[in-house]
Amino acid sequence: MLLEVDELCIEYLGAPPTRAVDRVSFSLEERTFLGIVGESGCGKSTLLFGIAQLLSPPAEIRSGSVRFMKQDLVGLDESRVRGMRWRNFSVVMQSAMSALNPVKTVSAQYADAMRAHGERDRAAIASRSEEVLRLVGIDPVHLHSYPHQLSGGMRQRVMIAMALLFSPQLILMDEPTSALDVVAQRSLMVQIKELQNQLGFAVIFVTHDMSLVANFSDRLAVMYAGRFVELGGTRATFDRPLHPYTRGLLDAFPSISGPRQPLVGIGGYPPDLADLPAGCHFHPRCPVRMESLCQLVEPEGNRVGDSEVRCHLYAEERSSAG
Ligand code: SF4
């Protein structure tokens, strides 16, 4: 396994503290593309930043572990984590315009990143900068451009190229296409997938748009109120969604094939993470909730085929498996 996250809990400290990531566990093999989907505020970006050890106060990892390349990053000395960041894993932020320095050219920002990791040879820096830019389909002439001189799609590609500077084994992506129109989104997704096939890195891709990762991810995690409620193969999840929330998400976006069907939204709103409903956190919005049981008892994870689902509807499968 490249990455093993075990019972990770992240809280925003305050009175009372808000648990944004609650006992999340999963593992990721090399070269695998994992999509993490869920509505805004469900904790998916916090999880990504927690894995990268990039949380800042008041967010804090309260318990659990993040084993990456057999080393637990939680509690590891920051200088050692910094040595791994960029080299072994890198992060692509949601908005390149905010992540890139507006007063430095692309080449200066790539050079900064490489120098920070010990590369001093100017020719090697120049050559690697050109190489990664070509990898993402941008003419190296743009190494001399400032971020504002590039289109939104190009800026995101520049960020992805920067993430590739040291050929990391894992790239964490936080909604990198959300500021783009659908055509640019699709083109960037195709490019990310091609790069992944070519270079062999693993990806964790966080998005609120389930359809975006449908054709690109190998595995899909559905997150609700800080927890993974379903985790399985992407195709299996789309063909046979198990959790009522996953079904709701799938019913909420149109299919490009088959008969026209009215779209059905999920009623209600995501819960306040500081004041979660008892029992199953989804029960106030769940169309198939079972009175009492779902309101009082928090469901455990159940294995169904190759998927894991956190819902009382599948408790029998757990008892028969046990
Ligand atoms: Fe719905 Fe109950 Fe399953 Fe929660 S545990 S998703 S309320 S059926």
Side-chain angles (χ1 to χ4, degrees):
M1 284 297 165
L2 181 66
L3 177 75
E4 289 175 284
V5 175
D6 189 32
E7 295 280 303
L8 189 68
C9 292
I10 303 175
E11 287 182 356
Y12 287 86
L13 302 182
T18 302
R19 182 162 288 196
V21 173
D22 189 12
R23 289 163 284 163
V24 166
S25 299
F26 68 95
S27 50
L28 186 73
E29 289 179 30
E30 290 177 2
R31 297 171 172 262
T32 305
F33 191 130
L34 169 71
I36 300 179
V37 299
E39 290 164 284
S40 298
C42 72
K44 54 193 188 305
S45 294
T46 303
L47 171 62
L48 201 80
F49 280 74
I51 293 170
Q53 306 301 302
L54 283 173
L55 294 170
S56 48
E60 194 174 275
I61 292 179
R62 301 296 282 168
S63 58
S65 61
V66 177
R67 289 186 71 76
F68 174 67
M69 296 173 72
K70 305 199 187 318
Q71 249 192 117
D72 190 357
L73 301 183
V74 178
L76 196 66
D77 187 62
E78 174 54 24
S79 62
R80 290 182 64 192
V81 177
R82 214 179 295 132
M84 297 175 87
R85 215 181 279 128
W86 293 106
R87 259 190 201 289
N88 301 109
F89 70 91
S90 54
V91 187
V92 178
M93 305 286 185
Q94 191 167 3
S95 163
M97 201 55 187
S98 337
L100 291 169
N101 186 333
V103 296
K104 282 193 169 187
T105 61
V106 173
S107 67
Q109 300 190 50
Y110 286 5
D112 280 352
M114 282 191 275
R115 277 195 214 105
H117 284 83
E119 181 58 77
R120 296 276 176 265
D121 183 339
R122 291 177 71 169
I125 290 175
S127 135
R128 183 60 183 158
S129 300
E130 286 185 16
E131 204 176 349
V132 291
L133 219 49
R134 277 205 194 90
L135 276 174
V136 297
I138 295 182
D139 190 318
V141 72
H142 288 293
L143 279 172
H144 307 295
S145 300
Y146 289 88
H148 73 271
Q149 293 172 311
L150 305 170
S151 69
M154 284 170 89
R155 280 196 292 267
Q156 288 302 140
R157 283 184 158 85
V158 162
M159 282 295 299
I160 290 167
M162 195 163 171
L164 294 171
L165 280 171
F166 292 99
S167 307
Q169 290 87 340
L170 170 66
I171 304 188
L172 306 162
M173 300 192 179
D174 182 24
E175 309 221 31
T177 65
S178 61
L180 307 177
D181 62 61
V182 285
V183 176
Q185 271 188 350
R186 164 94 196 161
S187 142
L188 192 57
M189 290 304 294
V190 168
Q191 186 144 45
I192 291 169
K193 193 66 193 172
E194 283 174 0
L195 285 169
Q196 193 209 359
N197 290 337
Q198 187 185 341
L199 304 174
F201 52 82
V203 176
I204 299 181
F205 191 103
V206 156
T207 178
H208 63 275
D209 183 352
M210 206 164 172
S211 61
L212 191 65
V213 285
N215 295 316
F216 302 100
S217 66
D218 305 302
R219 297 188 58 75
L220 194 66
V222 180
M223 202 166 175
Y224 189 79
R227 300 212 74 176
F228 276 8
V229 293
E230 182 163 353
L231 173 64
T234 303
R235 200 61 274 147
T237 307
F238 273 80
D239 289 348
R240 191 191 164 211
L242 298 170
H243 197 279
Y245 178 60
T246 314
R247 281 186 230 142
L249 287 177
L250 284 171
D251 288 343
F253 74 85
S255 166
I256 54 170
S257 58
R260 281 188 178 198
Q261 284 182 339
L263 296 180
V264 187
I266 303 172
Y269 298 95
D272 177 353
L273 293 177
D275 185 21
L276 288 170
C280 170
H281 301 329
F282 186 59
H283 86 253
R285 305 173 76 188
C286 181
V288 293
R289 68 175 167 266
M290 295 169 273
E291 297 304 325
S292 303
L293 178 64
C294 295
Q295 290 167 352
L296 298 173
V297 182
E298 188 176 358
E300 292 181 38
N302 305 290
R303 182 154 283 280
V304 181
D306 283 337
S307 301
E308 272 173 49
V309 58
R310 192 170 291 280
C311 170
H312 289 308
L313 293 173
Y314 303 92
E316 263 181 28
E317 316 213 11
R318 175 159 44 89
S319 47
S320 57

